[in-house]
Amino acid sequence: MTRAEPEDPRAARTRARLREALLQECAERPLAEVGVAALVRRAGVGRATFYVHYADLEALAVDACADVVREAVEALHAWRGRPDPVRAPAALPEFFASLTPHLALYRTLLPPGGGGPLGQVLYRDLRAYSLRERERAGARDAPLIASAVAATFTGVLADWLHGTLPGTPEEIADQVWQLLVALHASR
């Protein structure tokens, strides 16, 4: 078994500065109006440095939003024992509520229906986690349910972000939770 090389701390700091600068820029204007020049000026790095780390602004934006994916996966799996079929684990409504500060950016990267670059990452990571969990449980339908869970959550999240699904963070968390519990129970 080989170990991954540790990340260069300087590169990690540079990417962190670029991510933070992007989030600050997007708090002031839509992603489509953010320029690389303003971004690198805010981050305190050179334009060439930006391109060493990212192909374009969308790649940086997806990286800056990657925590959302991790938080979503963790929130969906934050229960132990037998899940309540009606009420979502506390982490799930907290996750939905946490999206407010960067709502416009998330809407840009996760269009209605759950596509886009952030939707692809969320679907991939959620499906992989769900598949591992179903396989550990010995479920014969693991690939089917993992795909259904990932697609359902990603689509509901995107539609809620865009306002086509009404509800508070608590309401949407409970609703999507009930869907996911039903998917797991259906097979």
Side-chain angles (χ1 to χ4, degrees):
M1 184 161 128
T2 61
R3 297 181 127 200
E5 291 295 317
E7 183 176 28
D8 177 354
R10 292 170 298 171
R13 282 192 300 272
T14 299
R15 281 193 297 279
R17 288 196 340 237
L18 287 165
R19 287 189 300 266
E20 182 58 31
L22 179 79
L23 293 174
Q24 291 171 357
E25 287 288 321
C26 288
E28 298 169 6
R29 67 189 53 78
L31 179 61
E33 295 177 13
V34 173
V36 172
L39 176 77
V40 297
R41 195 170 30 258
R42 186 181 288 250
V45 301
R47 189 177 188 94
T49 300
F50 169 82
Y51 288 108
V52 165
H53 296 283
Y54 298 101
D56 55 28
L57 284 171
E58 185 177 275
L60 170 58
V62 171
D63 187 34
C65 296
D67 284 344
V68 169
V69 172
R70 181 188 47 77
E71 291 166 7
V73 171
E74 288 175 4
L76 284 172
H77 295 90
W79 55 276
R80 297 291 174 249
R82 190 167 185 86
D84 182 330
V86 177
R87 293 277 174 234
L92 196 54
E94 290 168 8
F95 163 75
F96 279 97
S98 75
L99 300 175
T100 304
H102 303 294
L103 189 61
L105 180 58
Y106 299 142
R107 285 177 177 159
T108 299
L109 300 172
L110 186 64
L118 192 58
Q120 292 170 2
V121 173
L122 178 57
Y123 176 87
R124 181 196 67 218
D125 290 1
L126 185 53
R127 186 183 187 284
Y129 191 102
S130 295
L131 182 61
R132 279 192 310 274
E133 291 297 308
R134 297 292 292 179
E135 287 174 341
R136 277 190 202 131
R140 66 174 177 80
D141 59 351
L144 175 67
I145 298 302
S147 291
V149 164
T152 298
F153 184 78
T154 303
V156 168
L157 172 61
D159 289 352
W160 181 75
L161 287 171
H162 287 275
T164 57
L165 290 177
T168 65
E170 294 78 16
E171 291 167 343
I172 200 66
D174 286 344
Q175 292 168 356
V176 76
W177 181 252
Q178 291 165 19
L179 286 171
L180 298 177
V181 168
L183 281 171
H184 281 281
S186 67
R187 300 280 297 175

